[in-house]
Amino acid sequence: MPQSSIILIIVIFILIFSTILFIVSRYKRCPSDQIMVIYGNVGSAKDGSVLSARCIHGGAAFIWPIIQAYEYMDLTPMSISVDLKNALSRQNIRIDVPSSFTVGISTEHGVMQNAAERLLGLKLPQIQELAKDIIFGQLRLVIATMDIEEINTDRDKFLEAVSSNVETELKKIGLRLINVNVTDINDESGYIVALGKEAAAKAINDAKRTVAEKERDGAIGQANAQRDQRIQVASADADAIRGENESLAEVATSNATRREREAEALKRAMASEKIQSAKALQEAYLAEQEAELARAAREKATQEADILVKAEIEKKKLEMEAEARAEQTRRLAKGEADAIFMKMEAEARGVQELLTKQALGYTQLVQSAGGDALNATRLMLTEKMEQLMKIQVEAIKGIKIDKVTVWDSMSGKEGTPATANFLSGMLKSIPPMNEMFKMSGMDLPEYLGKNTENSEPGIKVSEEPVKV
């Protein structure tokens, strides 16, 4: 086999091997704890819109060179500590709600696209700060819609409202809420502590009332048992001494006295028990009265808070409308200023273009005059000479002389009429054509007129008298 054929085969083999290596190097796999974002020319969506990026989680894709690139986003959960202070509740009471939130980049299809568009390239602290701002705002919003009693007693409802609001807003930037943990709830006014004391006092009074009722039932049962016992003993004694006549009568009298004393003692015991029971009921009624007063105060505070919140919302609305009108005025003023600037800029360009064309024309005129600027100036004055003469004629054209009366004494030069000298002097007041040519550096051709000794250059004065 010729050596050239061997070299060609080796080159083809190297090219094929390099192509295979290049294709293999451009085939990228995505780990399970990351999202691979392919950006560049990634195609269009089903509705025809152009996609800004394509997200892959747990798969692989071929990255086209030049037209496509890729980056990874970490799915590791982030713990964010939110130390919320002075949050305003619906009762217009400020509370502190220290809590911690665990968030992470979502793998849901639409939310993952939002993360690729808004979080790609951001560092972990930047993402945490962005999520923290959103959580702060939504946590304040949820607290403003709930009473302190609901937040303190019904934690499940509070956490559910916080999770719903926060996760809705986090999805807009591609994050999902994993966990919410509220450590404690405090308020500056001591309202939560007062609620705890109220509940404790109510529980203590209920326990005292229950104990008193149980003691009363025990005393009544004991008294009934003793009564039954005494009745049965007395009945047995009566049967035993019924036949003993007088001796037994004394025993009966003694027993009667004893029973009277015992009944008196029982009466005092029952009266004492009822007094204690009445005192227990009175304390219970007082506790219930205090609870009702506290509940009335709470309802009053709730109504006042509702009115204040509505007033605050109306105030914010008016402020936003005023800011919108101010922004509109600023934009109109800026538009008018831009229009004036563009008009002045167009006029400046027009003047610049006119001056440029004039300079170009002057340059060509000098070149036509052989490079002599003086000759070029003379050519320009020659073209304007007709207009200059016309302006001179127009200077006396408008003079109206209704009537001229002349008494000529023939006292002119060499016996000429004075009228002729007057007309000649009036004509000499106009700059002669020859003089204008001289001012421009040129001479009037001889066939247009010759100078005489007694006339101005360029004008031939007739010696004939003027007839009037």
Side-chain angles (χ1 to χ4, degrees):
M1 182 179 293
Q3 186 177 2
S4 60
S5 299
I6 296 174
I7 294 173
L8 181 61
I9 292 173
I10 293 173
V11 170
I12 293 173
F13 177 76
I14 292 174
L15 290 175
I16 294 173
F17 184 72
S18 300
T19 304
I20 293 173
L21 287 179
F22 178 75
I23 293 173
V24 171
S25 65
R26 298 301 294 178
Y27 188 77
K28 303 297 179 181
R29 295 176 296 275
C30 179
S32 61
D33 61 342
Q34 291 180 340
I35 296 176
M36 183 169 65
V37 180
I38 304 173
Y39 56 90
N41 188 2
V42 295
S44 302
K46 294 182 180 180
D47 56 357
S49 60
V50 178
L51 291 175
S52 60
R54 181 160 60 92
C55 300
I56 297 176
H57 175 238
F62 180 77
I63 310 299
W64 291 97
I66 300 175
I67 64 173
Q68 290 182 351
Y70 72 97
E71 289 187 18
Y72 290 101
M73 290 194 302
D74 198 353
L75 296 178
T76 303
M78 297 170 288
S79 179
I80 301 174
S81 178
V82 178
D83 190 10
L84 182 61
K85 293 183 179 296
N86 295 328
L88 191 64
S89 66
R90 190 168 66 180
Q91 298 164 304
N92 203 23
I93 298 175
R94 297 190 177 276
I95 62 175
D96 300 336
V97 186
S99 57
S100 61
F101 291 76
T102 304
V103 300
I105 297 177
S106 177
T107 57
E108 189 178 347
H109 179 68
V111 183
M112 188 166 52
Q113 187 71 20
N114 293 339
E117 293 176 355
R118 294 176 174 87
L119 302 180
L120 186 62
L122 295 180
K123 301 297 182 181
L124 183 61
Q126 295 175 331
I127 298 176
Q128 288 179 338
E129 287 298 325
L130 182 60
K132 189 174 183 179
D133 293 339
I134 295 175
I135 292 171
F136 262 115
Q138 295 303 315
L139 192 58
R140 288 183 182 276
L141 180 62
V142 172
I143 292 173
T145 59
M146 298 181 68
D147 295 335
I148 294 182
E149 289 83 356
E150 295 177 328
I151 298 173
N152 190 40
T153 58
D154 196 352
R155 290 291 181 91
D156 293 337
K157 180 180 178 181
F158 174 64
L159 294 177
E160 183 179 357
V162 171
S163 300
S164 177
N165 286 30
V166 171
E167 188 166 11
T168 301
E169 295 300 320
L170 289 179
K171 284 184 177 180
K172 295 179 181 179
I173 62 172
L175 299 176
R176 63 182 295 264
L177 182 62
I178 299 175
N179 183 36
V180 181
N181 184 20
V182 178
T183 57
D184 195 7
I185 298 176
N186 299 315
D187 67 310
E188 297 178 353
S189 61
Y191 185 67
I192 296 177
V193 176
L195 290 177
K197 291 182 178 179
E198 177 186 355
K202 184 178 179 181
I204 292 172
N205 290 329
D206 292 340
K208 289 181 178 180
R209 182 177 59 188
T210 303
V211 170
E213 291 177 352
K214 295 300 183 182
E215 289 179 352
R216 180 195 62 189
D217 295 340
I220 292 172
Q222 182 181 1
N224 291 332
Q226 291 177 356
R227 183 191 61 187
D228 293 339
Q229 181 181 5
R230 287 194 298 271
I231 292 173
Q232 292 177 3
V233 170
S235 177
D237 291 338
D239 292 339
I241 64 174
R242 187 171 293 139
E244 294 181 357
N245 300 325
E246 296 179 356
S247 60
L248 294 179
E250 293 179 357
V251 172
T253 302
S254 177
N255 289 333
T257 303
R258 181 175 56 83
R259 286 196 298 270
E260 288 179 359
R261 293 178 179 177
E262 290 178 354
E264 185 66 25
L266 180 61
K267 178 180 178 182
R268 288 195 299 268
M270 293 180 64
S272 178
E273 291 175 357
K274 289 183 179 180
I275 291 172
Q276 294 298 326
S277 177
K279 287 182 178 180
L281 291 175
Q282 183 180 6
E283 291 178 358
Y285 293 153
L286 289 175
E288 291 178 358
Q289 182 180 5
E290 292 177 357
E292 291 296 330
L293 291 175
R295 189 177 296 107
R298 184 190 64 186
E299 292 179 356
K300 180 180 178 182
T302 301
Q303 294 177 359
E304 292 177 353
D306 291 339
I307 294 173
L308 290 175
V309 169
K310 291 179 180 179
E312 186 69 20
I313 293 173
E314 186 65 24
K315 177 182 176 183
K316 292 291 184 182
K317 179 181 178 183
L318 294 176
E319 290 178 354
M320 293 177 66
E321 291 177 354
E323 291 177 357
R325 288 195 295 270
E327 182 65 22
Q328 183 180 6
T329 303
R330 286 195 295 270
R331 292 187 178 181
L332 289 174
K334 186 177 182 300
E336 293 176 358
D338 292 341
I340 294 172
F341 175 77
M342 293 178 67
K343 179 181 178 183
M344 298 299 291
E345 186 179 8
E347 291 178 355
R349 286 199 299 267
V351 172
Q352 183 182 6
E353 186 68 22
L354 177 60
L355 294 175
T356 302
K357 296 296 183 182
Q358 287 181 352
L360 182 61
Y362 292 155
T363 302
Q364 294 177 354
L365 181 60
V366 173
Q367 292 177 356
S368 299
D372 191 348
L374 182 59
N375 291 335
T377 305
R378 291 173 180 175
L379 288 174
M380 292 175 61
L381 290 174
T382 302
E383 292 180 356
K384 301 295 182 179
M385 192 62 68
E386 181 181 355
Q387 297 180 5
L388 293 173
M389 296 300 296
K390 183 178 180 181
I391 293 171
Q392 287 184 346
V393 173
E394 292 291 337
I396 62 172
K397 180 179 179 181
I399 299 176
K400 295 182 179 180
I401 302 175
D402 296 335
K403 182 178 181 181
V404 179
T405 304
V406 180
W407 287 273
D408 198 344
S409 61
M410 303 299 288
S411 60
K413 185 179 180 182
E414 297 179 0
T416 58
T419 304
N421 293 334
F422 167 73
L423 294 175
S424 176
M426 185 174 66
L427 291 174
K428 288 180 180 179
S429 65
I430 302 173
M433 183 183 297
N434 190 28
E435 188 68 25
M436 295 186 66
F437 270 80
K438 283 186 176 182
M439 286 188 293
S440 63
M442 298 181 290
D443 294 328
L444 186 68
E446 293 183 356
Y447 62 83
L448 293 178
K450 296 182 179 179
N451 295 336
T452 61
E453 296 178 357
N454 300 324
S455 63
E456 294 294 329
I459 298 181
K460 185 176 182 181
V461 180
S462 176
E463 297 296 336
E464 297 179 359
V466 178
K467 294 180 182 181
V468 180

